[in-house]
Amino acid sequence: ILGHWTWEGGCASSYVNWGTYTSSTCFSCNEPADSYELQCVYTSYGQDCNHYLFRDHGYMQKFFHGSEDLSGLWKTDETDSDLRFCMCEAPKWIAPTPIPTTACPAGEYLGGDVGCKSCLPGTFKGVAGNEACDVCGPGRIATEIGSVSCDLCPLDKYNDKAGSADVDKYNHDKEEDCLPCPPDGFEERSYVTNNAQTSCDPCEAGTQEVNNTCAPCAPGTSSQKKGDRCQPCEPGKFTAENGTLECNSCDIPWSTISKGSTSCDTVNSDHYIVDVNGIDRYQYEATYKKQYEQRYGVECERYDKEQNGRVPCTLPEGVQVLLAMAKNSSNAAEVAQPPTVETLVLLEGYYRYAYTAEVLECKVPDACAGGNLPNEESCNPGYKSAFCGRCDWDFYRDMVTGKCISCSGGNFWSLSVLICIVLVLMGGLIAVARYCMEPVRAALKKH
């Protein structure tokens, strides 16, 4: 019978015998008894009870919790004629564990005496039930309580550790648990995360990271090692293909205008390009090449069909050695274009009639300014006509130096005065000579 005390079974659950050990009365722990409020968690022999009262006849009864002697926790209470013993701990009612009538929803678990509890950050539960929440695995985090799933790390981050509910271990409960990719110290390298965000791996040679994907290097660039970013081809090298590991070198005398070239689009600084379009390879090799070389004093390369009718030739005498076509520059806009007959630049003292490779030396070096312009446009001030051989208007030619000198300048009057002085001196010398020779003449006449 509920609440009945017997030697064989003791009091039933939630009941206690607080009188003499021979008493047959069991009192409910939920109700006051004899003006004492008995509050228990469990009752009957060998079970926990926060507040027992025992009436005894002049001696202390020992009480055990399992095999542990709890008698030392008791004290005497003399408020009654008989001795009463109770545990020294404060009485406290602990409600029995509630048993949910239904399963805990997704994102929650059965939390013992408090019913369903939300999954902690770093854990999740995707289905209803009373089971414990699972920890987030590698590559995933859960930053909120009550998560029903774990989120992937951001696109450029990863984590490669298994999650743990242990607070001293890897918890996957905050964004900082996802590590940057590429790793610290490798920001300029080319790394990507896998689809599960569990690793950060270098891109293969010939590729580089683009939006967390290893994409082939574009034409004009290459990467030789795993994890390297694609770099522009150096001047003198090129590549026209995607995914190149190493740029190709141009065949001499061909070169490139700038870094990152996809073709050999210019020549070295001691050559220029002749356009022979309209002349087939056989005609060029048979007659044109030899005639051109003899006329202009240059040497030209053989015909290359890959260059679409462009042939490199050495620079004629009197032409400046051209810029090195961006060998030290990455900005093609700042360097010269591929040199052709039209873009040849003459040295000072040389002249050409038109935009051809026929370059002639001026008779008066100071007359010809050189440069790119032909005919009179290349003459220095004061000179004109072919070879800049005539003095311009308001200039005269110095008979000693052959230079053209401005008539409006101070040099003209200085020279005129000098000439007059010389003439006067010469005239005086002649007069003196005649005077001195007069007696000689008279003596000769007498004889």
Side-chain angles (χ1 to χ4, degrees):
I1 301 173
L2 182 63
H4 183 72
W5 181 92
T6 66
W7 272 109
E8 288 77 16
C11 290
S13 178
S14 298
Y15 284 77
V16 64
N17 175 291
W18 66 282
T20 61
Y21 61 89
T22 60
S23 173
S24 61
T25 304
C26 291
F27 296 93
S28 171
C29 289
N30 299 329
E31 299 176 359
D34 241 9
S35 75
Y36 289 91
E37 185 176 356
L38 305 181
Q39 298 174 333
C40 306
V41 179
Y42 299 103
T43 61
S44 82
Y45 291 122
Q47 297 187 10
D48 290 337
C49 185
N50 275 12
H51 192 70
Y52 276 117
L53 293 181
F54 289 90
R55 180 176 297 162
D56 203 347
H57 296 286
Y59 63 92
M60 178 183 295
Q61 175 182 322
K62 286 183 174 295
F63 178 77
F64 289 86
H65 170 56
S67 61
E68 184 180 2
D69 186 352
L70 301 180
S71 301
L73 297 177
W74 298 4
K75 68 178 181 179
T76 302
D77 186 347
E78 299 180 352
T79 57
D80 203 324
S81 58
D82 295 322
L83 293 177
R84 297 173 182 270
F85 301 94
C86 65
M87 294 184 69
C88 298
E89 296 177 353
K92 181 179 180 182
W93 168 257
I94 301 178
T97 301
I99 300 176
T101 57
T102 59
C104 292
E108 296 184 5
Y109 69 100
L110 182 58
D113 58 348
V114 294
C116 296
K117 297 177 66 175
S118 297
C119 295
L120 296 175
T123 66
F124 76 102
K125 191 152 76 77
V127 296
N130 297 334
E131 299 82 3
C133 300
D134 298 317
V135 295
C136 296
R140 294 178 177 269
I141 57 173
T143 59
E144 304 291 337
I145 64 171
S147 295
V148 298
S149 64
C150 298
D151 299 321
L152 280 172
C153 286
L155 188 63
D156 57 348
K157 295 185 177 181
Y158 75 105
N159 66 37
D160 55 359
K161 297 180 175 64
S164 172
D166 190 333
V167 295
D168 295 327
K169 294 184 178 180
Y170 207 70
N171 299 116
H172 293 207
D173 58 356
K174 53 187 179 298
E175 288 191 6
E176 288 74 13
D177 288 332
C178 295
L179 306 176
C181 181
D184 291 339
F186 291 81
E187 287 80 6
E188 299 303 320
R189 303 295 300 280
S190 191
Y191 282 70
V192 297
T193 58
N194 60 6
N195 292 336
Q197 308 299 109
T198 59
S199 66
C200 179
D201 306 308
C203 289
E204 295 293 333
T207 66
Q208 70 173 1
E209 182 274 331
V210 178
N211 295 328
N212 201 51
T213 300
C214 293
C217 293
T221 66
S222 68
S223 70
Q224 298 182 6
K225 297 179 181 179
K226 180 183 291 189
D228 284 351
R229 299 198 69 82
C230 301
Q231 300 297 325
C233 297
E234 293 295 324
K237 296 185 176 183
F238 75 101
T239 176
E241 300 176 352
N242 290 308
T244 301
L245 276 65
E246 187 173 1
C247 299
N248 304 310
S249 296
C250 295
D251 294 330
I252 297 175
W254 288 102
S255 186
T256 60
I257 288 180
S258 63
K259 287 184 176 183
S261 292
T262 59
S263 65
C264 298
D265 47 13
T266 188
V267 290
N268 289 335
S269 59
D270 54 355
H271 284 72
Y272 71 102
I273 297 174
V274 177
D275 189 351
V276 294
N277 265 321
I279 302 175
D280 61 40
R281 177 179 180 179
Y282 302 102
Q283 182 181 358
Y284 172 82
E285 297 290 350
T287 59
Y288 188 90
K289 178 177 182 293
K290 184 176 181 179
Q291 292 174 355
Y292 191 92
E293 290 175 336
Q294 289 178 343
R295 179 176 179 181
Y296 299 119
V298 298
E299 294 181 6
C300 298
E301 299 293 322
R302 297 179 64 86
Y303 190 95
D304 185 354
K305 62 180 181 180
E306 298 295 330
Q307 291 296 337
N308 300 317
R310 302 188 309 163
V311 177
C313 296
T314 57
L315 296 176
E317 181 182 355
V319 175
Q320 292 185 26
V321 174
L322 304 176
L323 295 177
M325 296 301 115
K327 285 187 177 180
N328 297 314
S329 174
S330 60
N331 188 349
E334 296 178 354
V335 300
Q337 295 300 310
T340 63
V341 171
E342 291 77 12
T343 62
L344 293 178
V345 178
L346 276 57
L347 296 167
E348 188 175 3
Y350 285 85
Y351 171 92
R352 62 177 176 172
Y353 289 102
Y355 288 111
T356 69
E358 186 175 5
V359 180
L360 306 169
E361 188 173 4
C362 294
K363 295 180 179 179
V364 181
D366 288 347
C368 300
N372 172 255
L373 298 176
N375 214 333
E376 286 188 351
E377 295 179 272
S378 66
C379 295
N380 275 320
Y383 298 89
K384 64 179 182 178
S385 299
F387 289 97
C388 306
R390 297 178 60 184
C391 292
D392 205 351
W393 175 252
D394 201 26
F395 283 77
Y396 71 97
R397 187 175 299 279
D398 187 320
M399 301 304 295
V400 178
T401 63
K403 297 179 179 180
C404 294
I405 299 174
S406 174
C407 295
S408 59
N411 290 339
F412 172 77
W413 296 111
S414 298
L415 184 60
S416 299
V417 171
L418 179 61
I419 293 173
C420 291
I421 292 174
V422 172
L423 292 176
V424 169
L425 291 175
M426 291 178 64
L429 290 174
I430 293 172
V432 171
R434 286 180 178 179
Y435 177 78
C436 293
M437 291 297 294
E438 193 62 33
V440 176
R441 290 194 189 95
L444 290 174
K445 286 180 179 181
K446 290 180 180 181
H447 294 287

